[in-house]
Amino acid sequence: MRQLDKKAICLGELLIDFVSTLNGVTLRDAPGFEKAPGGAPANVAVGLSKLGIETYFIGKIGKDAFGDFLRMTLDKNGVKTDYLTSTTKAKTTLAFVSLTEEGERDFVFYRDPGADMLLDQSDIIDSIFSGSGVFHFGSITMTHEPSNSATFKAIQLARKYGYLVSFDPNLRPALWKTLDEAREKMRLGIELSDVVKLNEEEAMFIAEANTIEEAIQYLQRSYNLALVIITLGKEGSILIHQEKSLRVEGFPVHAVDTTGAGDGFVAGLISSLYMFWNDLRERKPIPDDTLRYAGRRANAVGALTTLKKGAIPALPTQEEVEIFIEENPL
């Protein structure tokens, strides 16, 4: 199989998470908040960069102190910000996050509008997709115009230039006008993708299914996808390729903060797909052992991301992933 130059392009929201300084309380009762860079596609971009992939980020921030902080964060972590634009028409998006004792999250977004919503079709140009690689996007920029049209223009250009297209719907109900609209847009995103990552809730939501088995059947029946991955938290993940479904066990760790774990998983997965990206794009069969390796590596990155507070600071390097897998054999 032909080896691809390791290039990735991520598109989506880049924002500030204000995380409660005390776990196990509601946002109302939080005594204070700690500033942290966030946004799922941005987390994926940093994760890929830390894993040795040349990564570009497409998005929009405000011309304000928070926007400056976010650009500096991406630059510091090796993500190329040539296509990260800024605007005076809206402030950088903020999200306030409270963590339960188990490390789960409760969100409130300040985004009416936020700068990420103002990404425009004019920001998406053909030259972004020079060369070849993997294009990854989420659904948050689909919630409003003009970022919705900009997102779909980028998807079409990625497909035009032969990129492997990766999608993580990352359902946030509070950001959509209706859940029916969310489902419709996510289904369209899936239809235009090669690789789709979902958690159990998202899979059943999109499929309108009552069980994960029904959701898997719906996805296999309804779309011509190269690879579907359903994450199961600490239980690992399920990889669905053509007619087969492979279960890959997770890593038992004591989670400090699950923020960004799914994004770490995506970064680990995408970085593994470069071994067989062209076969995936052409819908050729991939050996089970190869798929299991990609799933186990993605599980490892996701698990490592839960061991520290925050998303971007917790994302591991390639060396840390290799050591972790070696120390935790099957």
Side-chain angles (χ1 to χ4, degrees):
M1 291 177 285
R2 184 164 65 93
Q3 181 68 30
L4 174 69
D5 290 337
K6 293 184 177 180
K7 177 181 178 181
I9 301 170
C10 297
L11 178 147
E13 71 278 9
L14 175 61
L15 50 82
I16 300 288
D17 283 329
F18 282 97
V19 183
S20 173
T21 55
L22 182 64
N23 286 357
V25 298
T26 64
L27 286 173
R28 182 195 66 188
D29 297 326
F33 297 90
E34 183 177 350
K35 179 183 69 175
N43 293 340
V44 173
V46 171
L48 285 166
S49 179
K50 286 188 172 184
L51 293 171
I53 310 297
E54 181 184 19
T55 307
Y56 294 77
F57 184 78
I58 304 172
K60 186 160 283 190
I61 49 178
K63 284 190 175 179
D64 51 40
F66 292 136
D68 292 343
F69 167 72
L70 290 170
R71 184 184 294 275
M72 180 183 69
T73 298
L74 292 189
D75 288 337
K76 182 180 178 181
N77 284 282
V79 177
K80 299 184 184 299
T81 55
D82 308 50
Y83 312 117
L84 175 62
T85 57
S86 54
T87 179
T88 58
K89 295 180 180 179
K91 300 296 185 185
T92 299
T93 298
L94 308 179
F96 287 80
V97 187
S98 180
L99 301 172
T100 68
E101 291 292 350
E102 293 74 32
E104 297 301 326
R105 296 163 291 163
D106 179 30
F107 286 94
V108 171
F109 288 87
Y110 283 72
R111 184 183 183 251
D112 192 25
D116 66 292
M117 296 162 59
L118 302 185
L119 186 70
D120 188 82
Q121 290 192 62
S122 62
D123 298 314
I124 312 299
I125 54 178
D126 286 54
S127 60
I128 293 174
F129 297 93
S130 63
S132 58
V134 176
F135 172 72
H136 176 76
F137 69 104
S139 71
I140 304 304
T141 48
M142 297 178 180
T143 60
H144 295 79
E145 293 292 353
S147 59
N148 173 63
S149 295
T151 300
F152 281 101
K153 180 181 178 181
I155 296 167
Q156 295 291 357
L157 285 177
R159 290 169 60 86
K160 174 184 175 181
Y161 289 104
Y163 275 68
L164 187 75
V165 178
S166 164
F167 178 37
D168 179 1
N170 202 27
L171 177 63
R172 296 286 181 263
L175 297 181
W176 293 91
K177 296 182 183 70
T178 68
L179 288 178
D180 285 340
E181 180 192 23
R183 187 180 290 109
E184 179 185 351
K185 289 283 180 65
M186 290 176 180
R187 284 176 172 175
L188 181 54
I190 291 172
E191 188 176 324
L192 295 170
S193 299
D194 300 300
V195 176
V196 175
K197 174 263 178 189
L198 305 157
N199 62 27
E200 292 178 271
E201 177 191 2
E202 291 159 350
M204 289 188 286
F205 170 76
I206 288 166
E208 295 183 271
N210 295 315
T211 67
I212 197 65
E213 289 77 19
E214 289 176 5
I216 290 172
Q217 290 171 9
Y218 166 83
L219 292 164
Q220 288 178 312
R221 181 178 68 248
S222 303
Y223 304 99
N224 178 31
L225 290 163
L227 184 64
V228 179
I229 308 93
I230 299 177
T231 56
L232 308 172
K234 63 183 180 181
E235 300 302 321
S237 55
I238 300 171
L239 278 67
I240 304 151
H241 173 63
Q242 298 180 348
E243 300 301 318
K244 59 192 173 188
S245 177
L246 302 175
R247 181 76 172 258
V248 182
E249 69 178 50
F251 292 87
V253 296
H254 179 68
V256 173
D257 179 4
T258 61
T259 304
D263 305 326
F265 178 95
V266 173
L269 178 75
I270 292 175
S271 67
S272 302
L273 298 185
Y274 286 96
M275 299 183 300
F276 50 95
W277 76 282
N278 204 38
D279 286 348
L280 276 179
R281 196 163 57 86
E282 295 178 4
R283 303 299 190 268
K284 293 181 179 179
I286 308 299
D288 288 1
D289 287 349
T290 304
L291 289 173
R292 288 187 188 280
Y293 169 80
R296 183 158 172 78
R297 193 163 175 274
N299 286 346
V301 178
L304 282 165
T305 306
T306 71
L307 299 182
K308 298 177 185 176
K309 197 167 184 179
I312 286 178
L315 290 162
T317 64
Q318 172 71 10
E319 183 180 5
E320 288 170 333
V321 174
E322 290 175 356
I323 292 172
F324 181 76
I325 291 175
E326 186 177 333
E327 292 177 345
N328 293 273
L330 286 171

